Amino acid sequence: MRKMISLIAASALTVSLTMASEQFSMSDADRALYQEMLENNPADIFVEEGSELFDELVTEEALAKFLGVTVDELPKTIASFPRYIPQVDEVLGLDQVMQIVMHKNGHKPFKLKSSEMFEMLAYAKSLANDEPINIDVNANKKMQESFKLGEKMFMTKRGKRGLSCNSCHSKEVVGLILRTQPLPNLGDVNAGGTWPAYRMTKSSLRTLQRRFQGCMKNALLAVLPIGSKEMVALEVYVTNLAKQKDKKISIPGLKR
């Protein structure tokens, strides 16, 4: 399960782009494999492992208490992340909040880039499955600032190739093919509500910010750390795109 067919990741817009109708984005074999995995997502085992870690190190009761909500309100609250956390006066991702709760519970927090945190984040976010994404980018000044920073990160061209997130996801190029892959609108594909996900080309569970890092690396951009202010802001912006499309939380996702 750890090794599957790998693809060359899209690294630039210098290759030719063609309309999706002119080229298949998947081979028949890959398409069949994808359909099979939709019914038996390999990420389910990681979510199960994450549930064991979560129940031991975090717990729903402790997370709800830290967030100032009841356990019954926890799914709706999870569907609002990233969100402003008054205890630290910052906008944080759910994984960062779990780090804080782990510390309060007397445990050494996992690193944000660790497989254990990826698994625990997948489980915690799955508690909100079928909840509408309800991030509020206008909740307060900090959220407004984070959204604006995320929009800037999404739109600003940088690096050796002068690319931005928008270079591959603007309305002008959505639907075109880049190295056999159709370029998606991130709101339409619910990027904010379907990560963590099992990524077929990596044969592993990945988070949204880890996916951001992969894009940055492929585009020859400086790779930002998971949990950095900029990465959280970018997640805020992308999650709000999904909210605008009335998307719901659906974890774990399955990605090519």
Side-chain angles (χ1 to χ4, degrees):
M1 189 174 75
R2 294 291 176 181
K3 290 186 178 180
M4 301 174 63
I5 299 173
S6 62
L7 301 174
I8 299 175
S11 61
L13 288 177
T14 54
V15 299
S16 60
L17 295 172
T18 59
M19 290 305 297
S21 60
E22 299 175 5
Q23 180 177 348
F24 290 109
S25 61
M26 282 189 183
S27 67
D28 289 341
D30 279 354
R31 189 176 292 107
L33 180 61
Y34 181 78
Q35 290 300 321
E36 181 180 346
M37 285 186 170
L38 283 175
E39 299 179 7
N40 300 284
N41 192 331
D44 289 339
I45 189 171
F46 298 118
V47 175
E48 184 176 346
E49 291 171 353
S51 72
E52 296 176 1
L53 293 171
F54 182 90
D55 290 342
E56 177 185 355
L57 305 174
V58 180
T59 76
E60 290 185 43
E61 291 76 14
L63 180 59
K65 181 179 179 181
F66 179 79
L67 293 172
V69 299
T70 66
V71 171
D72 288 341
E73 295 170 326
L74 193 55
K76 183 177 180 180
T77 304
I78 289 173
S80 71
F81 272 89
R83 63 180 288 148
Y84 174 71
I85 305 299
Q87 294 93 322
V88 295
D89 194 30
E90 293 290 347
V91 176
L92 299 180
L94 181 58
D95 49 357
Q96 292 170 298
V97 169
M98 288 195 295
Q99 281 186 322
I100 296 173
V101 175
M102 288 177 68
H103 178 74
K104 285 182 173 293
N105 287 349
H107 304 293
K108 182 179 179 180
F110 295 128
K111 293 182 178 180
L112 294 176
K113 63 180 180 180
S114 67
S115 60
E116 291 87 356
M117 182 56 81
F118 286 7
E119 293 168 357
M120 202 161 64
L121 178 60
Y123 172 72
K125 200 167 179 180
S126 75
L127 295 174
N129 274 349
D130 296 324
E131 285 284 340
I133 293 174
N134 62 84
I135 187 172
D136 186 356
V137 298
N138 292 308
N140 50 49
K141 183 178 179 180
K142 289 283 187 175
M143 282 297 292
Q144 291 172 348
E145 291 174 348
S146 186
F147 174 78
K148 289 180 180 178
L149 176 59
E151 183 177 35
K152 180 180 178 181
M153 294 296 301
F154 193 88
M155 298 294 181
T156 300
K157 295 180 179 180
R158 61 191 183 95
K160 295 181 180 180
R161 291 191 169 119
L163 297 175
S164 68
C165 302
N166 195 56
S167 296
C168 290
H169 300 291
S170 69
K171 62 181 181 180
E172 288 78 15
V173 300
V174 164
L176 300 180
I177 296 292
L178 175 59
R179 291 191 176 182
T180 78
Q181 293 298 292
L183 299 173
N185 176 297
L186 296 185
D188 288 340
V189 298
N190 193 14
T194 54
W195 294 86
Y198 185 82
R199 196 152 179 238
M200 294 170 63
T201 56
K202 300 297 182 181
S203 301
S204 63
L205 183 73
R206 298 294 175 103
T207 65
L208 182 56
Q209 290 190 33
R210 181 66 184 86
R211 183 69 186 98
F212 291 158
Q213 286 188 325
C215 288
M216 292 172 186
K217 181 179 179 180
N218 291 336
L220 300 184
L221 310 180
V223 177
L224 302 173
I226 293 175
S228 63
K229 186 175 182 178
E230 293 81 6
M231 281 292 227
V232 173
L234 192 54
E235 185 170 351
V236 166
Y237 180 78
V238 170
T239 301
N240 192 63
L241 293 177
K243 178 187 177 181
Q244 292 174 345
K245 298 291 185 174
D246 298 320
K247 299 298 184 180
K248 297 181 179 181
I249 302 296
S250 182
I251 304 297
L254 178 65
K255 309 292 182 179
R256 177 89 189 274

